[in-house]
Amino acid sequence: MTAHRVFAGLVLTVCWASACALAGAGEPTGEAVEHFEKQVRPLLAAKCWKCHGKEKQKASLRLDSAAALAAGGDSGPVVVPGDPDHSPMVKAIGYLEDPKMPPDGKLSDVEIAALTRWVKEGAAWPQYPEQKESDDAEAATAALLTPPVPGQPDPLWAFRPMVDAPPPAVTSHGEPQSIIDRFLLAKIDQRGLSVAPPADKRTLIRRAYFDLLGLPPPVEEVERFVQDAAPDAFARLIDKLLALPQYGERWGRHWLDVARYADSGGYETDIYFRNAWRYRDYVVKSFNDDKPYSRFVQEQIAGDELWPDDLSLPGTYVMPKEKLEHLEARVGTGLYTLATQIHESNMDAKKLDYERMTDWADTTGSVFLGLTLGCARCHDHKFDPLSQRDYYGLQAIFAGSKEVEMPLVNGMEIADYKQHYPRILAIDEARRAYRSFEKRVAGRKLTPEEEQTRRDLRDKIAAAVLELPEAAASAPGDRFDGLMEIPTASVLGHVDPALVPEVHILNRGDLDRPKRRASPEIPAILRQATGYREPLGGPATSRKRFALWLTSGEHPLTARVMVNRIWQGHFGVGLVATSNDFGKMGLPPTHPELLDWLAREFVRQGWSLKQMHRTIMLSDAYQRASSYTNPDNLAQDADNR
């Protein structure tokens, strides 16, 4: 039976269900709804809808809705609710009279019993309210266009443009060391709170080491820093730590947590992703190289569309640096090859496509936008101004994409691998000869000649092994690459244009209940917020245009979300405590003006992550003692917000 997505939470379906559409039937019970959703609807979808569904209606009969069932076909109704003995459909599936259905083979006894019970209990077909599709983009963004009320909480603050508020003047604490401190101290003074004293130097170096490297400082480094009285001692320490390779490993791990990185697909079979580590290493290298965050985002979403290239050689063994950069950009799209995977879904291509695009849309929303877009898969978002149309428009951006295996070596290196294949065969032949000899002499003492034969065969195997190269001429030769295996990376590529799957807005997210077709779209409220008017285009360019829009510098979420994560990595909690939910159900920023200043500064600094670390860590706020307590502070601000 074809797998069918059953609605989650059958208890809720009882609340949604209205009276059965068939005449005379009462409101279905919870047990009847559960039986229909778990047993009947999947059976109808698997066995009946191919000939009696949306695409085809033999004998003018449809069995894919309550209204169609009630209408019947050319011979009238096929179901008499409550009376299976006089229901033509029950007789047909029991092969009791013609036409016998389904014609390609009788249903199992269990399946016949399930349909018979359904008819006997009244043929309940619970109805669900249609979800509006928000066709009117102006209506969907009306709240954004309305200015917030001064002094009142603004639930849509994250969708509004970033403000460039001037840092407040603060004089009560002497000259603040940084603009960050001016924003924080102004609020501290407003509340009448006191500030913690500076941390001692031993605490400060440990804090920096653990924050940037995830490791304690060596004893000699602590003593050297304590003895360094220069005013720029801490700034130089920060620069030193940011230059170490462990920095990329520490902060790459933060990103991999957000990007739901794993080496396997989860569920029962836990499918192994043999190339997942290449994306991991790409992330670590990107952080160590201080790759601009805008480029980092663009590479992961659309590296193949923004920098299309191959590894063809220009008449020399030296690969142009530009080609290697483009290769790295494509490896970044490995983000979208790490989705959880249900093994059995590979039996149903349509379902597999849906699960993949669902993960890609949800991941894009949480990682880059800090929004819970997945809530709009089954219905318009209950809290944020995001519709089903927005959600499936985002899915459609990825409809023309698929996972592919991309070689990481050029044609010459591939030829090198193939050149040495006969040596693999030589090893196999030598091994077979040795095993044949061992079998022949088993159980008896060897003659001197036979002892020599054994030694010669062993030498032959060893010589054949030693002749194998550790890697091709200039291939990566990583320890995770198999012997004589051409290294590849799992990345995004494109589906053949004729095979691009259609994306539809689905009634309550049910794959078997499609409504109108969706095209690649930016969520309406964000399109309005950024003033973006261009179409995203077809499946070969939609990811590219989406990535460029996301990193325009004026996007209300991209920079805010990332600087908040950096702040969280240093202080334990972000200025927005719900770092993956900037929507209405998330917490508002404690210091919105500071968040916007950091976001704009991030863009002004060329999207440099390392520079943002310096900006935050050189503030007085970062360098204060964390063990400080004050009764008045605790009474007013127990959570230290």
Side-chain angles (χ1 to χ4, degrees):
M1 181 184 296
T2 302
H4 182 88
R5 190 175 298 279
V6 177
F7 292 132
L10 287 168
V11 174
L12 291 177
T13 67
V14 179
C15 301
W16 293 329
S18 67
C20 177
L22 298 178
E27 186 168 340
T29 64
E31 186 178 356
V33 171
E34 181 173 1
H35 177 66
F36 177 81
E37 296 295 0
K38 285 189 173 181
Q39 304 295 329
V40 178
R41 191 196 292 272
L43 186 55
L44 294 175
K47 302 294 186 178
C48 305
W49 291 357
K50 182 179 180 180
C51 297
H52 302 288
K54 182 179 180 181
E55 303 299 329
K56 184 187 297 184
Q57 300 90 41
K58 287 188 176 181
S60 302
L61 175 63
R62 288 184 65 170
L63 296 175
D64 57 352
S65 71
L69 183 67
D74 292 341
S75 302
V78 295
V79 167
V80 179
D83 190 355
D85 293 337
H86 292 89
S87 295
M89 187 180 80
V90 176
K91 294 178 181 179
I93 64 174
Y95 277 35
L96 300 176
E97 61 181 40
D98 291 331
K100 296 178 174 64
M101 293 292 163
D104 55 353
K106 188 178 179 181
L107 299 177
S108 69
D109 291 343
V110 173
E111 292 169 332
I112 293 173
L115 289 173
T116 303
R117 172 189 164 186
W118 171 60
V119 174
K120 185 176 182 178
E121 294 179 351
W125 195 306
Q127 302 297 295
Y128 304 90
E130 292 292 315
Q131 298 299 314
K132 64 180 184 294
E133 295 174 11
S134 303
D135 291 322
D136 186 352
E138 293 300 321
T141 57
L144 180 67
L145 300 177
T146 303
V149 179
Q152 296 295 320
D154 180 11
L156 292 177
W157 67 270
F159 297 96
R160 302 187 191 278
M162 295 180 290
V163 298
D164 214 348
V170 180
T171 59
S172 57
H173 298 272
E175 183 62 31
Q177 188 168 341
S178 75
I179 291 177
I180 289 175
D181 295 304
R182 290 166 63 180
F183 281 108
L184 297 178
L185 291 172
K187 203 159 189 178
I188 287 173
D189 287 351
Q190 180 184 354
R191 297 287 298 274
L193 303 174
S194 58
V195 297
D200 63 83
K201 296 191 73 171
R202 294 181 186 277
T203 298
L204 199 55
I205 187 174
R206 283 178 58 82
R207 182 179 298 171
Y209 261 82
F210 277 112
D211 274 8
L212 293 180
L213 308 184
L215 299 167
V219 174
E220 59 273 16
E221 290 296 323
V222 174
E223 296 306 320
R224 186 178 296 113
F225 179 68
V226 169
Q227 299 302 320
D228 191 342
D232 66 342
F234 190 55
R236 286 187 283 108
L237 174 66
I238 293 172
D239 288 341
K240 176 182 177 180
L241 299 182
L242 288 172
L244 294 175
Q246 291 88 350
Y247 159 72
E249 295 168 0
R250 171 65 168 174
W251 279 82
R253 181 175 178 178
H254 288 320
W255 180 263
L256 294 172
D257 286 343
V258 172
R260 51 89 173 96
Y261 174 84
D263 289 315
S264 57
Y267 297 102
E268 290 85 354
T269 50
D270 202 26
I271 296 170
Y272 179 64
F273 301 151
R274 69 185 185 94
N275 284 332
W277 62 275
R278 295 199 192 277
Y279 173 75
R280 178 202 67 197
D281 287 4
Y282 157 83
V283 169
V284 171
K285 182 177 184 298
S286 295
F287 275 86
N288 278 331
D289 291 348
D290 198 21
K291 180 178 293 178
Y293 181 68
S294 55
R295 168 92 181 205
F296 185 56
V297 171
Q298 291 167 5
E299 289 181 348
Q300 292 175 84
I301 295 175
D304 57 321
E305 293 183 5
L306 285 162
W307 298 282
D309 211 338
D310 60 24
L311 291 180
S312 57
L313 289 166
T316 172
Y317 226 134
V318 179
M319 181 64 65
K321 180 181 178 183
E322 184 181 62
K323 282 182 175 284
L324 295 176
E325 291 175 351
H326 296 170
L327 174 70
E328 182 176 308
R330 287 206 67 183
V331 173
T333 65
L335 166 70
Y336 291 100
T337 68
L338 305 172
T340 55
Q341 189 173 129
I342 302 173
H343 199 154
E344 293 78 5
S345 295
N346 287 276
M347 294 188 294
D348 187 340
K350 185 178 177 183
K351 184 171 183 285
L352 187 67
D353 284 342
Y354 180 46
E355 289 175 348
R356 182 178 65 249
M357 286 189 286
T358 294
D359 173 83
W360 290 355
D362 293 353
T363 297
T364 300
S366 62
V367 172
F368 301 112
L369 297 171
L371 295 175
T372 57
L373 290 178
C375 295
R377 179 164 66 94
C378 298
H379 48 72
D380 288 355
H381 205 295
K382 298 298 183 183
F383 305 103
D384 296 334
L386 299 165
S387 67
Q388 268 197 302
R389 179 179 176 179
D390 293 332
Y391 182 81
Y392 288 100
L394 187 60
Q395 275 202 5
I397 292 174
F398 294 91
S401 304
K402 67 175 181 178
E403 179 180 336
V404 298
E405 296 292 306
M406 177 185 68
L408 295 177
V409 294
N410 60 57
M412 278 295 292
E413 291 161 339
I414 292 175
D416 289 344
Y417 277 93
K418 293 178 179 178
Q419 170 192 357
H420 297 296
Y421 182 69
R423 296 182 183 179
I424 293 287
L425 299 180
I427 293 173
D428 182 67
E429 290 175 357
R431 187 185 295 114
R432 287 173 184 270
Y434 183 79
R435 287 174 178 169
S436 176
F437 172 80
E438 288 285 276
K439 185 177 181 180
R440 190 172 68 249
V441 301
R444 65 179 176 82
K445 186 176 179 180
L446 302 184
T447 66
E449 293 79 8
E450 289 172 335
E451 284 285 2
Q452 183 61 45
T453 299
R454 171 184 280 177
R455 287 193 293 271
D456 291 344
L457 287 172
R458 283 176 175 170
D459 290 345
K460 186 177 181 181
I461 294 174
V465 171
L466 291 174
E467 284 183 4
L468 285 174
E470 294 186 10
S474 58
D478 192 279
R479 62 193 178 93
F480 294 115
D481 288 324
L483 182 67
M484 302 307 298
E485 180 183 274
I486 295 175
T488 62
S490 300
V491 298
L492 285 189
H494 288 101
V495 178
D496 185 290
L499 300 177
V500 175
E502 290 186 355
V503 175
H504 290 86
I505 298 171
L506 303 179
N507 193 307
R508 303 212 62 80
D510 186 346
L511 187 56
D512 290 316
R513 302 173 72 191
K515 299 194 287 186
R516 60 176 288 183
R517 186 174 178 179
S519 57
E521 287 285 350
I522 290 167
I525 195 166
L526 290 172
R527 179 185 288 275
Q528 185 71 23
T530 56
Y532 192 83
R533 296 291 181 266
E534 299 298 321
L536 290 183
T541 61
S542 54
R543 283 190 284 115
K544 169 183 175 179
R545 295 184 180 183
F546 177 76
L548 293 175
W549 163 78
L550 198 61
T551 53
S552 65
E554 293 299 323
H555 195 287
L557 287 168
T558 310
R560 278 172 171 160
V561 168
M562 191 57 190
V563 296
N564 187 67
R565 288 193 173 123
I566 299 173
W567 187 277
Q568 179 184 25
H570 286 299
F571 288 96
V573 63
L575 295 169
V576 178
T578 51
S579 55
N580 282 345
D581 189 357
F582 274 44
K584 287 184 181 179
M585 293 304 289
L587 295 176
T590 55
H591 300 73
E593 295 85 2
L594 173 57
L595 178 64
D596 280 7
W597 181 84
L598 287 169
R600 287 199 171 278
E601 186 69 7
F602 189 37
V603 176
R604 284 191 289 264
Q605 293 170 352
W607 301 85
S608 168
L609 294 168
K610 289 187 177 182
Q611 188 56 43
M612 184 51 58
H613 287 299
R614 295 184 186 96
T615 299
I616 291 174
M617 296 177 72
L618 290 175
S619 67
D620 286 340
Y622 180 83
Q623 298 177 45
R624 294 191 188 280
S626 59
S627 58
Y628 172 75
T629 58
N630 178 287
D632 292 335
N633 285 8
L634 289 174
Q636 288 194 61
D637 185 26
D639 293 329
N640 194 28
R641 302 300 290 141

